Amino acid sequence: MRRMVSTAACVLLMVMVAGLVSCTKKDSSAIGGAASSEGKAARTRTIVDHTGAEVVLPAEIDRIVIAGLMPMPSVYCLYTGSSDRLVGIPASSKAAAENSLLIQAYPALADLPTDFEANDVVNVERLLELEPDVVFYGSSNAQTRQALDNAGIPAVGFSTTQAGYNTVETYAGWIELLGQVFAGDRRIDTGRAAEIVQYGRDVETLVKERLAEVAPEDKPRVMIAFYYDDAGGLRTSGSNFFGQYWIEVAGGVNVAAVLSGSPSVNMEQVYQWNPDAIFITNFSPRLPEDFYSNTIAADDWSSVAAVQTGRVYKFPLGMYRWFPPSSDTPLAVMWMAKTLHPDLFTDIDLDQMVRDYFKRFYNVELTEEELHMIYHPAREASGK
């Protein structure tokens, strides 16, 4: 009898234990399933880019291609402090990098492919071979966006016009959008977006305050040689383009303001304008000495005021060309203003400002040779 009772008790106990284990497994399975669902949900997140589109991104981004947005490699390196995770950049960006300090600070850029696009048209098949998690592109290129959407590649559009061609605010907008793209990813997000943006705005404020009292008649009349070579002739920068911002913020008057964008002009028009100063961008292979020596094909610059007074300048090239928005934009603002109005900025040691900026934001100690290189870029930097 005792054995029977004992046996029954054991059986009952085993049934109870089995039931408890079964319940525990069910609960554990339910919890695990919920966790798994949450994990899947956490693998993507959504941001809004400069086109207003919602872009679904992987929670962790490991492979990035930059298409058509030529200054972005420098801004990306500024923001992240490295070129890690870039797997493709525009050909013109590489040409600038190879003739700037960007390639020295971030040598891995030299090996990145550029053959996934030509003339602002993306080769989707080649792009897919790069296996990008996301592509950064110029938001005005609807064709690129459509191609990327059709291929199922997340595309983040960065605008060059949302701030009215104000390069400081454009560069700030890019930094802030990068902050959204990489938010929460401690491998990439340096947490210094606000610091970078504020620095640029502080420089712009200082320049505007210094120039606020300059009378209209004391503002030099300025022309920008945007593109200028034997094949394509001369194109300037009118209104609705970066040149308008540069000239105005630096206390000048844009002689081409009646035109729009980057129109072609001939020498007859230049003679009518007779600018006091000329600035050559790094999209052109021309250098100031070409103007002074008057050796540019059939164009005669000898009678132009800027040439006669020695006021022809080449935009510097630091981590990128200084004419469009770039990672060096705050330095370009001060350089342009000090070049046009040196008497108002005698207390600003531009060389030291450039050195401090490169140390602070790139962790690069500039040598005298490198500083000279920034101010005297090579023809080859145009990518022509």
Side-chain angles (χ1 to χ4, degrees), residues 167-168 199-211 245-246 249-251 279 315-316 322 328-354 357 375:
T167 57
V168 167
Y199 183 95
R201 288 174 175 162
D202 288 346
V203 172
E204 183 187 53
T205 297
L206 171 61
V207 166
K208 286 182 175 180
E209 288 175 349
R210 294 281 179 96
L211 298 173
Y245 168 77
W246 283 124
V249 78
F279 289 82
F315 269 92
W322 280 16
D328 293 343
T329 283
L331 301 178
V333 173
M334 182 58 72
W335 171 80
M336 188 95 176
K338 188 175 174 69
T339 298
L340 287 182
H341 296 278
D343 293 345
L344 297 180
F345 297 92
T346 55
D347 62 317
I348 302 295
D349 184 337
L350 187 61
D351 290 358
Q352 191 59 49
M353 181 178 176
V354 173
Y357 186 88
Y375 294 135

Side-chain angles (χ1 to χ4, degrees), residues 43-299:
R43 290 174 194 165
T44 63
R45 54 197 180 78
T46 302
I47 67 160
V48 177
D49 72 4
H50 288 163
T51 70
E54 292 187 347
V55 185
V56 179
L57 299 172
E60 291 190 351
I61 296 173
D62 295 308
R63 299 180 67 81
I64 302 162
V65 169
I66 298 173
L69 198 61
M70 294 180 289
M72 182 53 70
S74 72
V75 178
Y76 174 86
C77 291
L78 167 68
Y79 177 82
T80 65
S82 78
S83 62
D84 293 351
R85 298 177 179 81
L86 289 180
V87 296
I89 60 174
S92 185
S93 298
K94 181 177 280 192
E98 289 170 346
N99 291 278
S100 73
L101 296 177
L102 188 64
I103 209 79
Q104 297 181 35
Y106 310 101
L109 293 172
D111 300 322
L112 295 182
T114 63
D115 60 349
F116 57 87
E117 69 173 353
N119 300 318
D120 288 333
V121 177
V122 170
N123 181 328
V124 174
E125 291 184 2
R126 175 66 183 113
L127 184 63
L128 286 171
E129 293 175 3
L130 300 178
E131 300 180 341
D133 294 321
V134 65
V135 173
F136 298 156
Y137 77 103
S139 62
S140 63
N141 195 328
Q143 181 181 4
T144 293
R145 182 53 175 262
Q146 189 63 55
L148 295 173
D149 285 348
N150 291 342
I153 304 172
V156 178
F158 288 78
S159 174
T160 60
T161 61
Q162 67 169 359
Y165 293 103
N166 177 318
T167 57
V168 167
E169 288 307 313
T170 300
Y171 133 104
W174 290 1
I175 293 291
E176 289 168 347
L177 184 52
L178 287 174
Q180 294 181 46
V181 170
F182 299 120
D185 190 338
R186 295 182 179 178
R187 304 169 309 157
I188 305 175
D189 186 6
T190 59
R192 61 177 190 167
E195 177 189 2
I196 295 170
V197 168
Q198 192 58 51
Y199 183 95
R201 288 174 175 162
D202 288 346
V203 172
E204 183 187 53
T205 297
L206 171 61
V207 166
K208 286 182 175 180
E209 288 175 349
R210 294 281 179 96
L211 298 173
E213 301 303 319
V214 176
E217 61 271 19
D218 293 330
K219 293 183 177 181
R221 301 173 69 257
V222 181
M223 187 189 84
I224 288 180
F226 177 49
Y227 280 113
Y228 191 20
D229 59 22
D230 293 338
L234 172 63
R235 289 168 57 189
T236 188
S237 177
S239 56
N240 300 314
F241 202 42
F242 297 118
Q244 185 69 28
Y245 168 77
W246 283 124
I247 295 171
E248 287 184 348
V249 78
V253 176
N254 185 6
V255 296
V258 295
L259 304 176
S260 182
S262 55
S264 296
V265 295
N266 55 33
M267 288 305 297
E268 286 68 28
Q269 180 64 76
V270 174
Y271 296 148
Q272 290 179 25
W273 286 335
N274 197 27
D276 301 312
I278 296 172
F279 289 82
I280 314 163
T281 80
N282 279 288
F283 293 104
S284 168
R286 303 299 188 199
L287 299 176
E289 48 263 41
D290 300 331
F291 291 74
Y292 297 141
S293 63
N294 205 27
T295 55
I296 301 176
D299 295 342

